Amino acid sequence: MDCRKEEKCDVSVIVPIHNGEAWIDDCFEAIQLQSAVEHLTVEVSAYDDSSTDKTWDMLQAWKEKLTMKGIKFVLSRNESSCPRGVGFAKNHAVEQSSGVFLCFQDVDDIMLPDRILHQYEAAQENENAIVGCEFRRLPDDSTVRFTRWANSLDNEQLYHQIYTSHGPTLIMPTWFCKRSVFDRIGGFSEEGKGTPEDLLFFYKHLDIKGRLWKVPECLLVYRYHPHATTFSIDENTIWSVRLERLQENVLISWTEFTIWNAGKQGRRFYRSLQPKYQERVIAFCDVDVNKVGKTYTPPHQNKCMIPILHFTQMTPPVIICVKLDLTGGSFEENLKSLNLQEGRDYVLFS
């Protein structure tokens, strides 16, 4: 049954689940306590992707609890023994929902009380946007650098820092958008485990001129644990997705450029480029006195000798293959000293 043919609600909370019994009570208790239920019509749309634990029974119990509170609960499941993956589960949860707006919620995370209301207000003002928010990690001391990076991005940096290994500049567990944003993309990739479906969706959204917006407020507790879906995605897969888009959207318009980092990551980046973009690399740059003044000769290209310059001597534009927040601020100070404009003179690929 397509629930969208019935009366639409304001917001559907989209919850894909596979073996979520450890998190369900915390997740749904937080949904029940949302301030938005006093002002908006809110439904929960959950899809159980072949769970083998107590997930299904717990969801049935929560459906009864939430219905008694006036929160509609739409629930279905993949009854086969083979999970289809988080992209599949999200798509089916969206398909069976009726909300004008969609609030994506991972079962292992916890909404803070004003999440739905404040993101709904922002999304009404930004109808072509994926709306995110700030978050805190649980445990508090997990992924400190990542959390600091994501929460510190301003609305311009949301568009510029899309090629770092951190992934989307708005993290998926905070996404909130109008249904039309989802429909224009056509849903998430359903290729299954190992596919960065959120990054692929994010890039497609940007490719069709979709917007990004972040509510400057902590509205989610983002749980860190070793069984999180993010750990099932190979780093090389994410590298390839990032690199392909960088070449197609940035390097294609640069006739020449520099690579900042003459070490392992910079050289890996060079070797990963398509040959036509390798030919546009005019130099590497670095701060290491053991590298500056020398040359890099790529494997199997004995006639190609690329100079390694001090960063103060390099010519932009530059691809930066240096990870942020790892040098006690010295890299950031060096970059700031050059008075370069992010997105025009340099792009981070770290």
Side-chain angles (χ1 to χ4, degrees):
M1 178 178 65
D2 186 351
C3 296
R4 282 186 280 175
K5 294 178 181 178
E6 300 177 359
E7 183 178 353
K8 293 181 179 180
C9 65
D10 293 317
V11 180
S12 293
V13 182
I14 305 301
V15 191
I17 306 176
H18 174 70
N19 288 343
E21 67 175 7
W23 328 113
I24 285 174
D25 285 340
D26 285 348
C27 177
F28 286 91
E29 179 67 24
I31 294 173
Q32 180 177 250
L33 296 175
Q34 286 294 296
S35 60
V37 301
E38 301 296 326
H39 310 280
L40 307 171
T41 53
V42 177
E43 75 172 3
V44 174
S45 179
Y47 187 84
D48 177 10
D49 188 22
S50 301
S51 294
T52 56
D53 60 3
K54 298 178 182 178
T55 288
W56 185 250
D57 291 338
M58 294 178 73
L59 289 175
Q60 296 283 3
W62 269 104
K63 180 175 182 178
E64 183 175 344
K65 290 179 187 178
L66 292 178
T67 300
M68 290 178 63
K69 293 285 187 177
I71 301 174
K72 181 181 176 183
F73 198 126
V74 185
L75 177 61
S76 63
R77 63 174 169 171
N78 175 4
E79 297 186 358
S80 77
S81 60
C82 181
R84 294 288 302 277
V86 66
F88 178 88
K90 287 175 186 172
N91 289 342
H92 278 258
V94 171
E95 181 181 0
Q96 69 190 12
S97 71
S98 64
V100 177
F101 289 86
L102 306 174
C103 176
F104 291 92
Q105 174 72 24
D106 287 348
V107 71
D108 49 356
D109 300 329
I110 304 168
M111 293 184 178
L112 296 180
D114 291 326
R115 181 193 173 186
I116 292 177
L117 182 61
H118 289 185
Q119 288 193 292
Y120 174 80
E121 292 169 346
Q124 282 189 305
E125 298 295 321
N126 299 275
E127 292 193 352
N128 188 33
I130 294 175
V131 175
C133 65
E134 295 179 10
F135 59 91
R136 66 176 177 87
R137 275 298 220 178
L138 185 66
D140 290 333
D141 60 351
S142 57
T143 66
V144 174
R145 288 178 52 249
F146 167 72
T147 303
R148 183 162 52 233
W149 169 80
N151 284 340
S152 68
L153 295 174
D154 62 34
N155 277 319
E156 284 300 313
Q157 291 172 316
L158 293 178
Y159 295 96
H160 293 320
Q161 296 191 15
I162 61 175
Y163 299 108
T164 76
S165 60
H166 289 317
T169 49
L170 297 174
I171 67 161
M172 173 64 208
T174 72
W175 286 8
F176 191 110
C177 65
K178 197 166 186 181
R179 182 182 292 274
S180 58
V181 171
F182 177 90
D183 288 342
R184 281 196 297 272
I185 303 299
F188 294 94
S189 168
E190 297 186 2
E191 293 185 19
K193 187 176 181 180
T195 301
E197 87 290 330
D198 56 343
L199 183 59
L200 294 172
F201 187 103
F202 184 78
Y203 282 163
K204 288 180 181 178
H205 174 69
L206 292 176
D207 286 342
I208 59 173
K209 309 303 181 184
R211 306 298 294 170
L212 306 173
W213 188 262
K214 185 174 70 175
V215 177
E217 180 181 356
C218 179
L219 298 175
L220 184 80
V221 178
Y222 183 18
R223 199 189 304 263
Y224 177 90
H225 61 90
H227 302 295
T229 302
T230 186
F231 295 117
S232 70
I233 303 173
D234 184 72
E235 186 272 338
N236 289 325
T237 300
I238 298 175
W239 174 282
S240 297
V241 171
R242 293 191 290 133
L243 181 69
E244 180 179 359
R245 192 178 192 280
L246 179 76
Q247 291 179 133
E248 294 177 351
N249 289 269
V250 178
L251 300 187
I252 193 170
S253 63
W254 289 1
T255 58
E256 57 183 35
F257 63 96
T258 301
I259 298 173
W260 189 323
N261 189 342
K264 182 179 178 181
Q265 283 297 93
R267 297 181 186 202
R268 179 191 177 192
F269 175 77
Y270 175 87
R271 293 193 302 270
S272 301
L273 292 171
Q274 295 177 22
K276 65 180 179 180
Y277 297 119
Q278 289 180 345
E279 294 173 0
R280 302 182 190 185
V281 176
I282 59 171
F284 286 83
C285 73
D286 213 293
V287 296
D288 187 345
V289 295
N290 295 315
K291 297 185 179 75
V292 172
K294 298 181 179 179
T295 59
Y296 170 61
T297 301
H300 313 298
Q301 297 183 33
N302 294 333
K303 295 182 180 180
C304 178
M305 299 175 65
I306 305 173
I308 302 174
L309 310 175
H310 191 266
F311 79 93
T312 57
Q313 299 174 308
M314 70 90 179
T315 301
V318 57
I319 297 295
I320 298 178
C321 298
V322 179
K323 289 188 178 295
L324 299 172
D325 204 10
L326 276 181
T327 60
S330 60
F331 164 71
E332 287 77 7
E333 284 299 315
N334 289 338
L335 178 59
K336 184 178 180 181
S337 72
L338 298 176
N339 295 314
L340 302 178
Q341 181 178 324
E342 187 171 9
R344 184 193 68 187
D345 299 319
Y346 71 91
V347 172
L348 293 168
F349 190 93
S350 55

